[in-house]
Amino acid sequence: MTGFEDEIRRRLLSAQDTGRIEGLLFHSTAEPIVGRLHGDGLDVLWTARDPWVSAQYIPNAGSEILLARPDDWRLKDRVAPTKHDVLYALACEMSGKECCDVEWDWDGRAKSWRVPDGWPTYGDVVGHIEDHYGYVANSNGVYYVRESAGVVMPADWQIEGQVFVALDDGLHFKDVRRSGEPDLTEREYYDGYAFEQAMAQGYDGVIINDHCQADDYGNVPHLSFGLNAIGREKVEWLALPAVRRHLDPWYSGEAILTPDLDEWLADFEMEAVHAL
């Protein structure tokens, strides 16, 4: 382990003891990163000082679709062929077959077809969604189905991303917040003029009010620390595997570190024991 990594480890261990994370920046993403981290369209790389907040910027899946549960009166009907339909795709997956001799209407709807032996009903597909994939419809009868490359994934599947950790020693951020309280109508991450001024004045980045999207809670306010080109040249990043983590903004007993960071610390301790 390098001295840089060892210092990150020391600060994470200190955070476990004190309940406060100091001197660290976190940037989480599911995007494949080749080479150095770069800024966004305004040439700013956004980070947070809370790893739980940072983890909200990793999506649960490559894509998520809203799938309406068929009405009860349809559950005994055989699944009809429909283009680009998840229910039909799952029926094909379950049976290993497709409907035959499908005749499509002018608007892309099937108007006649033949079903193979053992072709599933809508009830069969609902059972497959719930029992095999583990989804539960919400109060509106909607499943939030996770997909990867167009393939339905289990309800507990998550895309693997990365959390990048850096020391913020010697970095100077200009506070360009427009108010003391975050306001959803003030999209401060678009304030390119303020970012350019901060860079022209020699700052390494800016501080803004921001919001992340937490599952079950919607918009959660937090501070974002944006590194400009000057700041990015000064930092070194430790990249660790990570996934999105459930953030409960009302739970004050939240562990200070995410499981991904805890796992990295545990792996290091195990390596150190084996080295003895």
Side-chain angles (χ1 to χ4, degrees):
M1 177 174 287
T2 66
F4 154 72
E5 292 175 333
D6 193 56
E7 180 60 20
I8 289 179
R9 170 185 166 273
R10 188 192 69 76
R11 295 186 190 188
L12 292 176
L13 289 172
S14 176
Q16 288 180 329
D17 294 335
T18 65
R20 299 188 309 276
I21 297 177
E22 297 180 338
L24 295 174
L25 297 172
F26 303 91
H27 173 83
S28 299
T29 180
E31 295 294 327
I33 303 298
V34 178
R36 296 183 60 84
L37 289 170
H38 297 283
D40 60 9
L42 295 175
D43 199 27
V44 179
L45 177 69
W46 296 106
T47 70
R49 286 187 168 153
D50 183 337
W52 290 90
V53 166
S54 180
Q56 305 315 298
Y57 291 90
I58 303 176
N60 279 315
S63 63
E64 195 171 50
I65 61 173
L66 276 62
L67 179 62
R69 184 184 188 277
D71 295 325
D72 288 344
W73 60 268
R74 298 185 65 199
L75 296 182
K76 293 183 178 180
D77 294 343
R78 302 288 179 182
V79 176
T82 307
K83 293 180 178 180
H84 313 300
D85 178 63
V86 175
L87 294 174
Y88 179 65
L90 288 173
C92 294
E93 173 190 301
M94 294 171 63
S95 65
K97 304 173 183 177
E98 296 184 13
C99 288
C100 310
D101 302 328
V102 181
E103 186 178 351
W104 300 99
D105 207 344
W106 64 271
D107 60 355
R109 296 184 182 183
K111 60 181 183 179
S112 65
W113 61 90
R114 288 191 302 110
V115 297
D117 293 339
W119 184 248
T121 65
Y122 285 102
D124 294 331
V125 175
V126 166
H128 191 61
I129 291 170
E130 296 180 351
D131 299 333
H132 178 71
Y133 284 105
Y135 289 99
V136 177
N138 64 16
S139 59
N140 295 318
V142 174
Y143 302 101
Y144 284 80
V145 177
R146 299 178 183 183
E147 286 189 327
S148 177
V151 177
V152 172
M153 306 300 289
D156 59 356
W157 178 84
Q158 290 181 289
I159 191 170
E160 185 174 284
Q162 296 181 89
V163 56
F164 292 85
V165 191
L167 306 173
D168 72 352
D169 298 353
L171 295 177
H172 299 285
F173 292 92
K174 183 178 182 181
D175 191 339
V176 296
R177 287 178 290 172
R178 298 175 184 170
S179 63
E181 295 293 331
D183 184 343
L184 276 174
T185 64
E186 293 281 0
R187 299 182 179 181
E188 297 183 9
Y189 46 83
Y190 284 149
D191 197 351
Y193 178 75
F195 306 158
E196 291 174 358
Q197 289 295 304
M199 186 169 175
Q201 294 164 1
Y203 286 94
D204 302 302
V206 294
I207 303 172
I208 64 166
N209 288 312
D210 207 348
H211 291 80
C212 63
Q213 286 285 323
D215 297 333
D216 303 326
Y217 292 96
N219 293 296
V220 176
H222 67 90
L223 293 181
S224 280
F225 297 79
L227 289 167
N228 57 30
I230 297 174
R232 293 197 303 274
E233 284 296 318
K234 296 181 179 180
V235 298
E236 185 177 357
W237 297 98
L238 170 67
L240 304 173
V243 296
R244 184 180 180 90
R245 298 295 178 179
H246 181 76
L247 173 67
D248 186 344
W250 312 115
Y251 178 48
S252 59
E254 189 84 79
I256 191 69
L257 302 182
T258 62
D260 305 299
L261 297 173
D262 284 333
E263 183 176 342
W264 179 70
L265 289 174
D267 288 345
F268 173 82
E269 296 297 336
M270 186 170 295
E271 290 175 4
V273 169
H274 288 165
L276 295 178

